[in-house]
Amino acid sequence: MAWRSNSTSTRWWYQGTKATDADIGICDPGVGEWGPMTLVDALFGAFALPFMARALIVMLVLAVVAGVVGVLVNLRGLEFISDGLTHAVFPGLAIGLAVGGTAGLVPGAAVAALAAAVVLTWLDRAGITSDAAIAIVLTAMFSVGVIVVSRGDEYASELEALLFGRVLTIPPESVVPLILVCLVAVVAVVVTMKQQLLRAFDRSGSRAVGDSALVLDLVLNAAVALVVVAAASTVGTLLVLALLIVPGAVARLMTERLWWLFPAAAGFAALMAWLGLALGFAGSVAGGVDLPAGSTIVAAFVAGYGIVLLGRWIADRRLATKAGVPQPAGTAAR
Amino acid sequence: MALTPSPVLRLIGAAFTHPGGSGVTGLDLTVEAGTALALIGPNGAGKSTLLRGVLGLVPLTAGTMELGSVEVRGADGASGPPVPKHTRNGMIGFLPQSSELDPDFPISLEQVVMQGRYRRLGLLRWPGRADRVAVRRALETVGLTSLAKRRFGELSGGQRQRGLLARALAGEPRLLLLDEPFNGLDQTNRDALVDTLRALKLQGVAVVVSTHDLELAKEVCDLVALVNGTQLAFGPVDEVLTLGNVQECFDGVEVELDEHTLVVPGHEGH
């Protein structure tokens, strides 16, 4: 038998009864049936399959993005803008898909991201800080997307694909463009990194140095938009959001040293993506539990965040008892 | 001192106005190298606006500002902040009120001080050896070398304030602007700051410090400008810090002068 990813859904595809070596690759357990899958098979063997390898490569690239762009999103407090962009891109993807099929995904997302970036920047500049107003706009965008998708025949699978992407069916030819776009975003942020950090730490200090707030914001927002557009069509809008936000938040819990934030976030994202993919594979193929890949990865991210949060809480408590002074969790313990 | 008097900052009929309309007007003052000017006035008098205006963060809406050899003219009714080009040459150091900064930000004291070099580095260059030397020297000047690796937010209020002073000094400025630097400082940190400012004046740095602590103005500064929405008086400390002037400036506020606590008439009169 062979494990292939379904071309239209995100699900693991269990097919046939007899496997060829090419289908299984080094996963071949040497027995007629897979039987109980070993840990090694799930964690390493599975990635010999081309679609699994592609998924892992894309996720590792995005982990680097999470490590650079995501940490800045956290330090600048841009979670809401990122959320806004991903929500706004959703109807763009849906309309693009409805108009031009899969080829319409990226143009649709790009147009929507551009429009959203302009609107969100305008809201910000106009001093409209009402969360309610922004939330209403975003909810409206999201429902437009759902309405567009629901007009199609395969409503459920389309919706899931747009939200959680097609991690397992990333076409080989779209891997390189994705990497290039991510590279552009990462380079743009790295080049302006010290100014971005100064602006995150001290807004008026940044302006006093002579940095243009508009330019810095545009560079960072554009980087976020690029990543969202590039990745939303392959890994889905919610997974992009998780990648941009969760690793940065985890890194903040793990270290208070500025330059450690970036490897910490990237490392966390890479580890969780890998574990999520392996878990989804093991669950679906050997466990008989159909685990969608994209949402399994998101679940791994959130679980990882929970574990780190708990660890941080315990560490804070220990330090507090050692010092003999009760300290609230999350504050710096010396 | 061998320093020839050269104006580092000169304001001629200047006004700085926020886009919202509030601001400070009628500014005529000159600060020379190696001298210190105290901006005195009650809260909301426009002291911070003046400092931010010099930095280019609040538009110059009337008059002229000269920074060294650079002259900036205020356009009447100008809207929006001007691009603060004149701050790019690295001559101004600025010490903001440290309460404006997020204490949870994961950044070390050393890294904060390095930010003082960014104006010299520009967008693309990264700090090099000369910058690290300047950071070390600035930390020595304020006496915080041993805390260099500490997270900024962990420091006490006074240490943070000295750290921000080190940041301003790391840029090796000719003009140092300090916004209420003595607020909430204990005696030790206050004395350390006074000593540092005196040493900087000897090195030829021009200092402008906003404060409502009149005693400190007398200790450190040569010149005083009384400000309350507009400039009320400007000149040497002894001439300007008279009871009459101070009463006019602080209408109905309690102030300390010559170890006497004055309740300025206006408070009693009503």
Side-chain angles (χ1 to χ4, degrees), chain A residues 75 190-191 193-195 197-198 200-202 204 207-210 252 256-259 261 332 334, chain B residues 52 57 81 87-88 100-101 104-106 108 111 115 118-119 122-126 149-151 167:
Chain A
L75 291 175
V190 166
V191 163
M193 180 64 84
K194 66 182 197 303
Q195 271 80 9
L197 290 171
L198 175 56
F201 175 63
D202 180 2
S204 60
R207 286 178 60 203
V209 162
R252 283 294 294 273
E256 287 175 342
R257 293 272 159 219
L258 187 59
W259 297 118
L261 289 173
R334 316 177 15 186
Chain B
R52 283 164 187 275
L57 300 182
T87 67
R88 286 179 197 267
E100 293 169 12
L101 302 172
D104 284 334
F105 203 89
S108 69
Q111 287 163 339
Q115 292 171 347
Y118 286 4
R119 199 181 36 224
L123 186 63
L124 296 179
R125 273 195 309 157
W126 284 79
K149 304 281 180 195
R150 237 358 132 59
R151 196 168 62 83
R167 178 173 77 164

Side-chain angles (χ1 to χ4, degrees), chain A residues 41-70:
Chain A
D41 284 334
L43 287 178
F44 301 101
F47 296 98
L49 297 167
F51 70 88
M52 286 295 284
R54 245 184 340 262
L56 186 64
I57 289 169
V58 166
M59 290 311 297
L60 292 181
V61 170
L62 291 175
V64 174
V65 172
V68 178
V69 183

Side-chain angles (χ1 to χ4, degrees), chain B residues 95 141-142 156-162 165 178 180-198 209 211-221 256 259:
Chain B
L95 177 72
T141 305
V142 301
S156 74
Q159 288 166 341
R160 267 186 238 172
Q161 196 72 335
R162 280 153 66 192
L165 179 62
L178 305 101
E180 301 283 3
F182 299 105
N183 267 9
L185 288 196
D186 59 22
Q187 196 62 36
T188 318
N189 281 307
R190 181 181 178 277
D191 292 347
L193 194 50
V194 168
D195 289 345
T196 308
L197 291 182
R198 286 195 175 131
V209 48
T211 180
H212 43 246
D213 187 335
L214 302 185
E215 285 308 313
L216 268 160
K218 292 186 130 187
E219 269 181 68
V220 187
C221 297
E256 283 184 21
E259 293 164 3

